[in-house]
Amino acid sequence: MHTLALRGHTLEVVRRPSAHPRPEAPALVFLHEGLGSIAMWRDFPQRVADATGCEAIVYSRHGYGRSSPLTAPRTPDYMHVEALQILPAVLDALQLRAPILVGHSDGGSIALIHAGGTPAPVRGVVVMAPHLYVEDVALEGIRRTVDAYRTTDLRARLARFHADVDGVFAGWSDIWLHPDFRDWNIEAFVSAIPCPVMAIQGEDDEYATMDQIDRIARLAPDVDLVKLADCRHSPHKDQADAVVEAIASFVARLLDDPH
């Protein structure tokens, strides 16, 4: 674990080599969910690194985990800022070129915006439960989570992973439930993605319908869809073996393709 100084903030970063490194393999860069952090990925990045032969690089975005806390409320374009400004700076600072992005939920949306909205080369994108637009089911799920944060042990459980747990939670829930966020949409970025995409979603996702990844398949030119039964909003936790296997197959296709 080390820290990366970036734009007046510090980000916690960890690099995990593969137990079975593949020569010339690109790095996998993991982008966490709206309440996530390095620690909340648990052993999943290492499992994917070992299965693919790629190094796994994981960081907590500004405001999350042990990275610098937020000092101002989020704005409706916060994922665009992360994708188009912060992520390119992170990749440059870590000297990464043409990585494979692996994003979950908000992190998946950030990966899609980056791949379709910047000239920086991306070898491939894996997204799990991404959001392309705001659905009613997402807002209903967030309202239930807000209630759980106030009335159950959810706050205590999240506090194990974040230095500023209240800032993390408010930064996520307040902006998603803000009226100005209702029209948020990234479909234009998805239609501009030139690289292969794998989109994974659980059939029991409590924050989205399957239309989210079906739209990716309609908009982008090269998309593999993985739809998982008995799986909610975190496929890498609910169906970890299936997700690792799917990502390993996708990465193998990318690395074996001479183009």
Side-chain angles (χ1 to χ4, degrees), residues 107-128:
S109 302
I110 291 166
L112 294 169
I113 298 169
H114 177 86
T118 72
V122 175
R123 189 70 172 271
V125 176
V126 177
V127 291
M128 298 176 289

Side-chain angles (χ1 to χ4, degrees), residues 5 27 35 51 70 73 97 203 216 240 253 259:
L35 296 176
L70 292 177
R97 179 174 174 79
E203 293 180 354
I216 296 175
R253 174 167 78 86
H259 304 292

Side-chain angles (χ1 to χ4, degrees), residues 11-249:
L11 306 180
E12 60 172 354
V13 182
V14 63
R15 304 185 73 144
R16 296 173 175 164
S18 174
H20 313 286
R22 178 165 174 163
E24 308 302 322
L28 300 162
V29 177
F30 287 77
L31 304 169
H32 61 73
E33 63 182 297
L35 296 176
S37 67
I38 287 177
M40 288 183 71
W41 283 110
R42 301 186 188 277
D43 67 342
F44 180 74
Q46 186 66 62
R47 290 189 62 186
V48 178
D50 293 344
T52 61
C54 302
E55 178 187 23
I57 297 175
V58 194
Y59 71 98
S60 296
R61 297 193 297 276
H62 175 212
Y64 296 94
R66 300 302 183 264
S67 294
S68 297
L70 292 177
T71 56
R74 295 198 188 279
T75 58
D77 66 345
Y78 77 100
M79 283 186 269
H80 291 70
V81 172
E82 287 287 347
L84 304 177
Q85 300 177 30
I86 306 303
L87 180 54
V90 170
L91 299 179
D92 285 346
L94 296 176
Q95 299 183 332
L96 301 177
R97 179 174 174 79
I100 297 171
L101 304 179
V102 182
H104 172 224
S105 193
D106 277 17
S109 302
I110 291 166
L112 294 169
I113 298 169
H114 177 86
T118 72
V122 175
R123 189 70 172 271
V125 176
V126 177
V127 291
M128 298 176 289
H131 302 281
L132 274 64
Y133 66 101
V134 179
E135 292 183 287
D136 289 339
V137 66
L139 303 181
E140 292 164 4
I142 292 168
R143 292 187 186 102
R144 289 193 299 270
T145 305
V146 169
D147 183 64
Y149 191 80
R150 293 169 177 165
T151 62
T152 73
D153 67 344
L154 177 59
R155 182 185 183 278
R157 288 187 283 118
L158 286 173
R160 300 199 303 266
F161 302 102
H162 300 288
D164 178 18
V165 65
D166 292 330
V168 166
F169 194 84
W172 169 73
S173 59
D174 288 359
I175 194 59
W176 268 89
L177 296 176
H178 195 287
D180 291 347
F181 196 70
R182 193 64 178 83
D183 295 329
W184 177 89
N185 186 294
I186 65 167
E187 289 176 278
F189 291 93
V190 175
S191 64
I193 294 175
C195 66
V197 177
M198 170 169 276
I200 304 169
Q201 188 165 338
E203 293 180 354
D204 307 308
D205 193 326
E206 65 271 37
Y207 294 106
T209 70
M210 204 61 73
D211 186 57
Q212 298 285 347
I213 66 169
D214 285 340
R215 290 195 185 203
I216 296 175
R218 292 196 297 268
L219 292 167
D222 184 352
V223 179
D224 293 345
L225 295 184
V226 179
K227 300 180 178 182
L228 298 171
D230 191 25
C231 181
R232 289 164 61 86
H233 191 61
S234 299
H236 59 296
K237 296 177 182 178
D238 293 348
Q239 294 288 350
D241 292 345
V243 172
V244 171
E245 182 178 352
I247 295 176
S249 176

Side-chain angles (χ1 to χ4, degrees), residues 2-16:
H2 66 279
T3 58
L4 177 67
L6 194 70
R7 300 189 173 203
H9 308 293
T10 59
L11 306 180
E12 60 172 354
V13 182
V14 63
R15 304 185 73 144
R16 296 173 175 164

